[in-house]
Amino acid sequence: MMKKLAGIVVFMVGLLLFYGVSNVDDFPGWGDPDSPANASPLSQYFITDTIKDSEVPNMVTAVLADYRGYDTMFETVVIFIAGIAIFAVVRVSRNNSPVCGGNKDDEPDLIITTTCRLLVPVIQIFALYVLAHGHSSPGGGFQGGVIMGASFILVAVAWDLDTALGRFSEKAAIACAGLGIIIYAGFGLASMFYGEEFLNYGITHKLLPGVESPEMARYYGMLGVEVGVMFTVTSVMFLIYGLLSTRGRMSGGL
Amino acid sequence: MIFELDVLILLLLIPAAVMALQIRDLLAASMAFGIYSFLMCLLWAEMGAVDVAFTEAAVGAGVSAVFLIATVYCTKRKSSD
């Protein structure tokens, strides 16, 4: 009964949505330069002045890490809180909860481990490339961090979680998650230290060696905060995987 | 933007979304969820939003699917409702 009722409601909402979007003339065309989003002075400013302000060709990264730096900083904090919340809810200290998954004594498969041995370094270098090249091509701290975290997850899947924890321990993961936010906020505080606003990296050219102009300081400031984001995202992704795949025991499991 | 490709991806999205919600086998449901994310990633890449597509590919299709599968591994595979 309830299912049928829910089905009717969903169908009605679907019809309403179809009715809402049926009048095509209400919407701007795809990529229309005169649409409200594209014609606003702010968008025009980002398109024309990003390269002058910060020497960053990829304006998405410039908006994300500089113009909208607060937003990205607290996004990183949200990811950190998500990791800590899952840790607080799932982690058990006593090892008497039932083991989930297969037999821990199983030898890891030779073909899989050999392939992973070849793949993991490539994945990690690609993650660093995505991080470092986020200014001039799509990418950045979040994507690089997820790819880096995935490489550790791959180690945990191919061998077992204890092997992965031997390379990146639970304590180190939590410490790195916090360190990432400290790096991000540290760049913000460094610019405050020289009398500018929080996260206004332009002034840090007095601090960074070999950086002459405020524009290049913005460039390197963005790279710095992306490194912070990457630290947090990598460790939180690995931590969440470890906790979910072992029912919070952080040993054995998948 | 290629209109035909758009329509094809959007048509594939609907069965993927329905499958992710309706299927009883939770492992298959997580895979359907991953397929949905990947199709969204294709859609974004095709519309020119490469940064968003990259994030969707890494987070949605990659790590989220792994998290879901890892969680299914610790519970029953069959949904009871």
Side-chain angles (χ1 to χ4, degrees), chain A residues 27 38 47 58 89 104 111 119 129-130 134-136 177 185 189 200-202 209 215 226 228:
Chain A
F27 293 94
N38 284 335
I47 291 166
N58 183 7
V89 171
K104 200 167 170 270
I111 295 168
L119 264 179
Y129 160 78
V130 168
H135 299 82
S136 32
L189 287 174
N200 191 354
Y201 321 119
E215 287 77 26
E226 299 266 22

Side-chain angles (χ1 to χ4, degrees), chain A residues 30 100-102 139 143 247 254, chain B residues 47 50-51 55 58 63 67 73-74:
Chain A
W30 186 81
C100 69
Q143 293 94 326
R247 288 188 176 174
L254 267 175
Chain B
M47 286 196 290
V50 189
D51 267 284
T55 315
V63 170
F67 286 169
Y73 199 67
C74 288

Side-chain angles (χ1 to χ4, degrees), chain B residues 66-77:
Chain B
V66 172
F67 286 169
L68 285 173
I69 290 166
T71 315
V72 169
Y73 199 67
C74 288
T75 57
K76 287 179 298 177
R77 243 183 98 168

Side-chain angles (χ1 to χ4, degrees), chain B residues 29-39 60-61 65 68:
Chain B
S30 355
M31 286 319 294
F33 182 74
I35 292 168
Y36 179 87
S37 288
F38 184 67
L39 287 170
L68 285 173

